[in-house]
Amino acid sequence: MEDCIFCKIIAGDIPSSKVYEDEYVYAFRDINPIAPVHVLIVPKQHISCADEITPENSFIVSKIFEAIPKIAKAEGLDNGYNVLNNCGEAGGQTVMHLHFHLLGGIDLMGLVQKQ
Ligand code: 5GP
Ligand code: ZN
C-alpha cells in the first residue's frame, strides 16, 4: 500500500525502533507511548483493520499472537500486559493498517470512562 505509514515502516522507508521481526510480523515502539512499554505489532501484509480479517488471512493474527509473548518476555513484562486493537473511526483507529498495541505498566481498565 503506497500511502500506508506502517507499510513504509515495514519496508524501512520510514525509520522505526524495531523490537521484533519474523516472516509475517513486525513490531516497533510507538512514537507517542501511553505506557512505559508501548509496542505496535503489525502484520507485514497490509490488512487495513480488524474488519478485514477473513478465513484466508486470519492465520496472520495467530502469528501476531505467537509473537506477543516473545515480545512481552523480552520487554520484561513478567507480571502481565494489555493487548489493544482499535478498529475504525469510532474505535479510534488512526492508522489504517491492522495493529495491536502491547501495553505494559499501565492500568488500562482504570482509563475506561464511566458513563
Ligand atoms: P491507532 O490509534 O490507529 O490504534 O494507533 C496508531 C498508533 O500509531 C498511535 O499510537 C501512534 O502514536 C502510532 N504512530 C503513528 N505514526 C507513527 C510512526 O510514524 N511511527 C511510530 N513508531 N508510531 C506511529
Ligand atoms: Zn499498510
Side-chain angles (χ1 to χ4, degrees), residues 1 4 6-7 46-47 96-97:
M1 280 287 283
C4 173
F6 288 176
C7 280
H46 182 89
I47 299 169
M96 293 305 290
H97 180 126

Side-chain angles (χ1 to χ4, degrees), residues 20-97:
Y20 176 86
E21 181 175 15
D22 65 30
E23 189 181 349
Y24 301 101
V25 176
Y26 190 85
F28 54 102
R29 297 195 192 284
D30 196 293
I31 204 166
N32 187 22
I34 62 161
V37 174
H38 188 169
V39 172
L40 299 173
I41 305 155
V42 309
K44 287 187 171 175
Q45 175 187 333
H46 182 89
I47 299 169
S48 59
C49 64
D51 267 353
E52 301 296 321
I53 295 167
T54 65
E56 287 70 38
N57 67 21
S58 62
F59 76 97
I60 295 275
V61 180
S62 303
K63 297 294 179 191
I64 288 172
F65 275 79
E66 285 171 33
I68 284 171
K70 296 179 196 171
I71 299 165
K73 191 165 189 210
E75 294 293 321
L77 301 177
D78 299 328
N79 289 326
Y81 49 85
N82 300 94
V83 178
L84 175 72
N85 170 252
N86 296 325
C87 181
E89 195 182 342
Q93 185 178 7
T94 58
V95 179
M96 293 305 290
H97 180 126

